[in-house]
Amino acid sequence: MRRKLIVNADDFGMCVGVNTGILRAHQTGIVTSTTLMANGLAFDDAVARLRDAPRLGVGIHLVLLGGQPVAPPSDVRSLLGPDGTLPNDFGLFLRRLLRRELRPAEIEIEFRAQVEKVLAAGLQPTHLDSHKHTHAHPQVLDVMLRVAESYGIRSVRQPHERLTFAPLAGLRPGQTLTFIKQKASTLALTRYAADFRARLRTASVRTPDAFFGFAHTGLLNPALICYILRLLPVGTSELMCHPSEMDDTLRHYPTRLKASRVRELAALTDARVRAEITRQNIQLVSFAHLDHCDEPRTTDHAR
């Protein structure tokens, strides 16, 4: 079997700079897929720009952390902070989830509202993933799978990364500590990996065979991308990325990924990366490819 790669840019719709960067990374780089934030500040701008990108696969970046809910606030009270927004604190989210303070029924209401907003915009989503990988947790995954089946969405992100694919290639001075923190987060997520695979075996959705980009969130550069390309396993893999151009909204947005997004845009459009894809005979695809392939629905590559 050939090696195939989905290059998915997260956070489409977050702001105009992110939208511009993702479309540039698709049109002049290697991005084949993106996931749209239904509660993003630039959702309408993102939808309008898709007219110029008919080959870009578009999924939904389901959001439980940060921003306004799409559902009526009165219907999702357990998900909201005192200010009526979705708290942008993963640690708090996880603690509240473990204490059963977040109601699964309200998570489902919010997820359905986000999917409905994307469908109402005339888009047919290729897949689902989630902001900050909240669906790695079994409680959230169960809701996501119900929503995917209900709307006939046939693919989801498999967010568990092989830690053997964790080089330091091309890191800038001062980025090693960030890498160590990201690698620790990746390792922490593996506690849910076996349960994730077990649930997917009986679900009516597909996932890519392998996933990359979590341990290197905010760190991708041409050398690192080329390293990953050379070691891709047989089958279909996903590389997560966060390209953007800088704008005032991003400068003030509550995210640690700011200048790193601009660097990722440069890396994803770098001629050396495109040349390595050709050299390695890697086929670039989107999540739509999973609906038409004969590969296994799930694998154990994430172990």
Side-chain angles (χ1 to χ4, degrees):
M1 294 193 302
R2 288 190 65 180
R3 294 183 298 164
K4 300 168 187 176
L5 181 63
I6 300 165
V7 184
N8 191 90
D10 288 9
D11 301 339
F12 197 45
M14 174 184 282
C15 64
V16 171
V18 168
N19 295 350
T20 303
I22 289 174
L23 265 294
R24 217 179 106 202
H26 168 63
Q27 292 163 341
T28 67
I30 66 169
V31 165
T32 61
S33 174
T34 190
T35 30
L36 178 61
M37 302 173 79
N39 74 334
L41 299 176
F43 174 87
D44 292 337
D45 176 79
V47 172
R49 287 171 183 264
L50 289 173
R51 290 192 293 266
D52 298 324
R55 296 176 60 84
L56 180 65
V58 182
I60 303 176
H61 201 50
L62 294 170
V63 179
L64 293 174
L65 291 164
Q68 298 288 336
V70 175
S74 59
D75 292 345
V76 292
R77 291 190 186 280
S78 76
L79 309 184
L80 307 180
D83 62 354
T85 66
L86 300 164
N88 191 29
D89 183 331
F90 184 80
L92 174 63
F93 172 83
L94 188 59
R95 291 193 296 274
R96 297 190 66 210
L97 197 63
L98 295 175
R99 293 196 296 256
R100 305 282 178 172
E101 295 174 5
L102 304 180
R103 299 173 185 168
E106 295 188 2
I107 293 176
E108 185 164 345
I109 288 170
E110 179 60 24
F111 278 1
R112 287 179 177 274
Q114 292 181 21
V115 173
E116 291 282 355
K117 183 174 179 179
V118 172
L119 294 175
L123 303 177
Q124 190 59 48
T126 58
H127 69 291
L128 301 177
D129 61 28
S130 63
H131 191 46
K132 300 189 179 181
H133 304 308
T134 55
H135 76 288
H137 193 281
Q139 292 182 48
V140 180
L141 177 62
D142 286 344
V143 176
M144 175 187 275
L145 293 177
R146 284 198 300 273
V147 171
E149 182 175 8
S150 177
Y151 290 96
I153 299 171
R154 299 179 60 185
S155 299
V156 301
R157 169 178 286 166
Q158 184 281 103
H160 301 287
E161 185 170 15
R162 295 174 67 180
L163 288 178
T164 51
F165 285 85
L168 296 171
L171 291 191
R172 296 154 59 93
Q175 289 185 325
T176 303
L177 180 58
T178 300
F179 170 73
I180 292 171
K181 291 179 178 178
Q182 282 298 125
K183 190 172 180 180
S185 297
T186 306
L187 183 62
L189 207 63
T190 61
R191 77 182 73 175
Y192 303 120
D195 191 72
F196 189 99
R197 290 194 299 269
R199 279 166 160 78
L200 265 290
R201 288 191 191 102
T202 59
S204 58
V205 297
R206 290 180 179 269
T207 70
D209 301 298
F211 174 70
F212 304 97
F214 186 23
H216 297 94
T217 299
L219 301 172
L220 289 180
N221 59 63
L224 180 53
I225 295 174
C226 288
Y227 180 98
I228 292 171
L229 292 173
R230 288 192 291 270
L231 295 179
L232 282 184
V234 169
T236 302
S237 301
E238 179 190 1
L239 172 63
M240 176 185 70
C241 58
H242 299 83
S244 180
E245 293 187 355
M246 186 59 70
D247 64 5
D248 286 340
T249 303
L250 180 58
R251 286 190 184 92
H252 298 95
Y253 202 90
T255 176
R256 69 177 179 85
L257 304 179
K258 297 180 187 290
S260 65
R261 294 177 186 263
V262 179
R263 291 194 293 269
E264 285 198 15
L265 174 57
L268 293 162
T269 56
D270 193 290
R272 290 168 292 178
V273 171
R274 175 68 72 176
E276 190 66 33
I277 287 173
T278 301
R279 187 159 40 245
Q280 298 296 326
N281 195 29
I282 294 167
Q283 180 183 357
L284 293 176
V285 298
S286 73
F287 273 87
H289 161 77
L290 296 181
D291 284 346
H292 307 292
C293 70
D294 295 321
E295 296 168 13
R297 183 169 63 192
T298 60
T299 73
D300 291 332
H301 277 299
R303 287 181 181 171

